[in-house]
Amino acid sequence: MSERFLYTSVNDPLAQPLFDGLEQEYEHRYADVQGRIGGTAREELQRYPAVAFAAPVGAFVLLLRDGHAVSGGAFMPHRDPDTAEFKRIWTLPGLRRQGIARRVLQELEDQALRQGYRRVYLTTGFRQPEAVGLYLSHGYTALFDLQADPETVAHLPFEKHLAAAHASSQVVPAAVHGVHA
């Protein structure tokens, strides 16, 4: 079994099975509250143009296993030049609880540092306790009351200040990783 990270575009056909699965999962978890949280799963996944996740200000990475995408994630600029907003971190359901999402999260953090970001901001849905657990265990700070009912918060924000020591000492532009259109 071979695994590798591929920096690419959200329009890459390799990513489509992940997006299809993510859309199905959002639909399943949030179907009864779509109006309250801002629309359908498809609308959420199409909210940002592909260029938002493109270098030099963003990134989209897939973790390929034997040539097939098993996990991925992205980031784009947030509200200030030092903050990246992570989006779409997701792993195929049959491969969860193997540390794959943690590897993708670490790769995104390392790439954000290489691209000059010093802080990460992200949100997850109120019906995704496994994501909350991942972020808390990976050093993220909840920007909401952890004791509150998540359904009353809806979008659960987190932040993490990145330390340069966590990134590889060599700056590797996204193109070196195999970006293609």
Side-chain angles (χ1 to χ4, degrees):
M1 168 176 53
S2 70
E3 289 188 345
R4 70 181 179 103
F5 286 107
L6 172 69
Y7 283 84
T8 187
S9 164
V10 297
N11 295 325
D12 189 321
L14 287 170
Q16 196 57 51
L18 290 179
F19 287 131
D20 291 345
L22 184 55
E23 181 179 348
Q24 290 172 1
E25 185 148 336
Y26 283 171
E27 290 289 343
H28 173 76
R29 290 189 190 216
Y30 299 104
D32 63 322
V33 293
Q34 284 178 355
R36 189 178 101 196
I37 60 172
T40 67
R42 178 159 301 201
E43 290 168 340
E44 170 57 27
L45 289 172
Q46 295 174 348
R47 178 176 299 193
Y48 306 102
V51 69
F53 303 111
V57 297
F60 178 70
V61 67
L62 296 173
L63 178 60
L64 302 181
R65 182 177 282 174
D66 296 329
H68 300 281
V70 298
S71 188
F75 65 81
M76 62 185 193
H78 191 53
R79 294 186 178 144
D80 65 73
D82 291 328
T83 304
E85 182 173 359
F86 284 12
K87 306 292 282 180
R88 318 285 187 255
I89 300 168
W90 197 74
T91 300
L92 293 174
L95 299 174
R96 293 184 181 160
R97 309 216 36 93
Q98 298 178 25
I100 294 170
R102 182 174 302 281
R103 288 179 52 212
V104 169
L105 185 60
Q106 186 63 57
E107 180 67 20
L108 287 169
E109 289 177 7
D110 291 347
Q111 184 63 27
L113 270 169
R114 289 188 291 262
Q115 288 180 222
Y117 293 105
R118 298 293 171 247
R119 177 179 172 259
V120 171
Y121 172 84
L122 60 83
T123 62
T124 193
F126 58 91
R127 292 184 179 163
Q128 294 171 253
E130 51 286 278
V132 170
L134 171 65
Y135 301 137
L136 290 173
S137 71
H138 203 71
Y140 284 75
T141 301
L143 300 176
F144 62 95
D145 181 358
L146 285 167
Q147 304 307 311
D149 176 1
E151 298 230 5
T152 65
V153 180
H155 299 285
L156 309 177
F158 292 84
E159 75 173 349
K160 182 175 183 179
H161 294 273
L162 301 175
H166 292 294
S168 64
S169 58
Q170 179 183 3
V171 175
V172 180
V176 172
H177 293 285
V179 172
H180 59 71

